[in-house]
Amino acid sequence: MAALSAWFWNERFWLPHNVTWADLADPAPGVEYPKASHLLSALPLALGIFVVRILFERFIASPCAFLLHIHAASVHWRATPNPILEKVFTSNTKCPDWRHLDGLSKQLDWDVRKVQRWFRQRRNQDKPSILTKFCESMWRSTFYLCIFTYGIRFLWQCPWMWDTQHCWYNYPYQVLTPGLYHYYVTELGFYWSLMFSQFTDIKRKDFPIMFIHHLATVSLISFSYANNMLRVGSLVMCVHDASDFILEAAKLANYAKYQRLCDFLFVLFAVVFFITRLVIYPLRILNTTLFESWEIIGPYPSWWLFNCLLLVLQMLHVIWSYLIAGIAYKALVRGKVSKDDRSDVESSSEEEADTNGTNDRGVKMAFSPKAENGTNGTNGHAVTTKSWPQIRTSSRTNNDR
């Protein structure tokens, strides 16, 4: 283990030339540099955030939903108990193709449409209610708004907010301030909590993608903290947080059936997303990580890795922007933003079309975590995602069923 640890924390990879971990271990009295051990405090914080979320959804979000006449609707048609079909549903597939449907119909001596209907009703039994989705989005919207507000207030007083070259002056001997520490650890704790809660949250088709996104986000935040790139990292987090709470607010309006408000918030979200991800991010953040840092501190191995990850993130921004533009175009044509097709109750006509492989509805807005989070976006980060906080939007065709 000692050899593995020494290999992983190799100074020649993590730190600039002529800098060692010993140089950062014992600073002057009253001065502290980031240490990887600090990241452990994010784990109990993640548990605390998860508990706060449960209390928030029960005592704040649920009463708000009732005031908006959003209730937990019961399933009108429940699937008839059938051990054979239940076994196929739980252990094999929830969406059997035509060949499986034909085989099951012969085995049970049922009509194919009856088997088809049973699987549809069984899937609908597991679908979350609008109340559940409303409470989840309200929690995320509240957290994203709070952390974005904190980030803006903190960065407003920091010189690197206005002159990004300050991200690299005296690097890596940059003092860890309490505000920067709290900002980083809170963001990291939140994404750890998303990884934990994803197993209890609304189950969606993009579960593996969102899990990988949250894992990548945790890795990026931890990576930038370990090698003291907190200043530029704080800018990246703030840029990504800027649009996430607007998307979650649009979901809330959609669940409450305020369509015009939903459309307005989505347009606002799209504008903020385009400005932050396609203008501010490449012109300010990528410019400082690629060019200003090259001139001030020069490249070293982890510098290359960090910038490669940020460039991959920019590629995702371009892809998501294309999807959002497609959604906006369809919203203009149809007169409203499309709903989330990842967890809504299915109709019989949809089921029959899907089974025959003829349903192609194109790009839709994912009114759920994106990004989700973001996509989560996010962050959602799909997304998030929040990518490093990811946008919670995704491309959806029903071919993935």
Side-chain angles (χ1 to χ4, degrees):
M1 290 298 295
L4 180 62
S5 177
W7 171 81
F8 182 81
W9 295 109
N10 190 303
E11 296 166 343
R12 299 283 59 82
F13 173 81
W14 289 95
L15 301 175
H17 303 298
N18 301 322
V19 179
T20 66
W21 292 118
D23 298 333
L24 303 174
D26 298 308
V31 176
E32 188 172 13
Y33 299 136
K35 296 181 177 63
S37 59
H38 295 168
L39 299 174
L40 296 176
S41 60
L43 296 178
L45 179 61
L47 180 60
I49 291 175
F50 184 68
V51 173
V52 171
R53 171 189 172 172
I54 294 174
L55 297 175
F56 178 91
E57 291 185 356
R58 180 170 183 178
F59 296 106
I60 298 179
S62 292
C64 290
F66 291 139
L67 289 175
L68 294 171
H69 306 291
I70 299 174
H71 303 284
S74 59
V75 179
H76 297 291
W77 299 99
R78 304 187 70 86
T80 305
N82 188 295
I84 296 177
L85 295 181
E86 185 67 27
K87 184 177 180 180
V88 174
F89 182 87
T90 56
S91 61
N92 190 3
T93 177
K94 296 182 179 181
C95 302
D97 57 21
W98 186 261
R99 181 174 58 84
H100 283 93
L101 289 173
D102 187 56
L104 289 170
S105 69
K106 293 177 180 178
Q107 182 179 356
L108 297 172
D109 195 23
W110 282 13
D111 182 76
V112 172
R113 292 174 66 89
K114 184 177 180 180
V115 178
Q116 201 175 55
R117 189 180 305 113
W118 187 96
F119 276 95
R120 182 177 67 253
Q121 292 173 350
R122 182 63 182 85
R123 284 194 299 273
N124 286 339
Q125 288 180 206
D126 294 341
K127 296 296 174 69
S129 66
I130 297 297
L131 175 62
T132 302
K133 293 191 283 187
F134 179 91
C135 292
E136 181 181 296
S137 289
M138 187 171 180
W139 159 250
R140 290 174 184 254
S141 177
T142 302
F143 180 87
Y144 292 140
L145 177 60
C146 291
I147 198 65
F148 175 69
T149 303
Y150 177 86
I152 283 291
R153 292 189 60 184
F154 169 74
L155 290 172
W156 201 267
Q157 310 167 44
C158 299
W160 62 87
M161 173 77 167
W162 312 106
D163 182 2
T164 52
Q165 292 188 16
H166 282 274
C167 293
W168 313 108
Y169 290 152
N170 199 36
Y171 178 84
Y173 305 103
Q174 295 174 344
V175 177
L176 176 64
T177 63
L180 192 54
Y181 169 79
H182 293 143
Y183 187 28
Y184 245 78
V185 172
T186 302
E187 286 269 14
L188 183 59
F190 176 71
Y191 282 100
W192 272 119
S193 74
L194 286 185
M195 289 188 65
F196 300 152
S197 64
Q198 195 174 12
F199 295 95
T200 59
D201 280 346
I202 299 169
K203 294 297 186 295
R204 294 187 171 88
K205 299 174 186 177
D206 60 353
F207 174 88
I209 298 174
M210 290 305 299
F211 184 81
I212 293 173
H213 159 260
H214 296 329
L215 183 61
T217 302
V218 167
S219 301
L220 278 168
I221 295 176
S222 303
F223 172 85
S224 60
Y225 190 96
N227 67 350
N228 202 7
M229 289 187 176
L230 276 72
R231 293 185 177 183
V232 69
S234 63
L235 296 178
V236 174
M237 291 191 299
C238 188
V239 164
H240 285 80
D241 288 337
S243 59
D244 288 335
F245 71 92
I246 305 176
L247 178 59
E248 296 297 333
K251 298 177 192 178
L252 295 177
N254 179 63
Y255 298 145
K257 301 187 185 303
Y258 292 115
Q259 190 60 50
R260 290 187 178 180
L261 178 60
C262 172
D263 295 342
F264 168 77
L265 289 173
F266 176 75
V267 171
L268 179 62
F269 157 75
V271 171
V272 174
F273 185 89
F274 293 149
I275 292 175
T276 55
R277 311 292 179 95
L278 298 183
V279 180
I280 296 177
Y281 182 83
L283 297 184
R284 295 276 292 173
I285 294 176
L286 289 182
N287 178 68
T288 191
T289 59
L290 288 170
F291 304 111
E292 293 178 349
S293 65
W294 183 290
E295 295 177 358
I296 297 174
I297 63 173
Y300 53 98
S302 67
W303 180 94
W304 289 103
L305 175 61
F306 187 64
N307 278 286
C308 286
L309 294 174
L310 293 179
L311 288 171
V312 170
L313 191 56
Q314 179 59 27
M315 293 174 59
L316 294 175
H317 292 165
V318 174
I319 295 172
W320 290 328
S321 298
Y322 172 78
L323 297 177
I324 292 172
I327 296 167
Y329 173 77
K330 291 193 175 185
L332 291 175
V333 172
R334 298 175 181 176
K336 66 177 182 178
V337 177
S338 299
K339 65 180 180 179
D340 182 3
D341 69 337
R342 295 183 296 172
S343 55
D344 288 337
V345 175
E346 304 168 42
S347 66
S348 58
S349 60
E350 282 181 338
E351 169 67 24
E352 291 159 10
D354 289 347
T355 304
N356 289 280
T358 60
N359 192 353
D360 184 6
R361 279 174 259 163
V363 181
K364 285 193 175 184
M365 179 175 187
F367 277 123
S368 66
K370 276 215 220 211
E372 304 97 9
N373 318 303
T375 233
N376 28 59
T378 162
N379 292 262
H381 107 257
V383 82
T384 176
T385 124
K386 218 172 212 153
S387 16
W388 179 332
Q390 164 234 16
I391 171 181
R392 282 79 176 157
T393 57
S394 59
S395 172
R396 282 291 179 272
T397 68
N398 285 346
N399 292 334
D400 63 353
R401 294 189 182 180

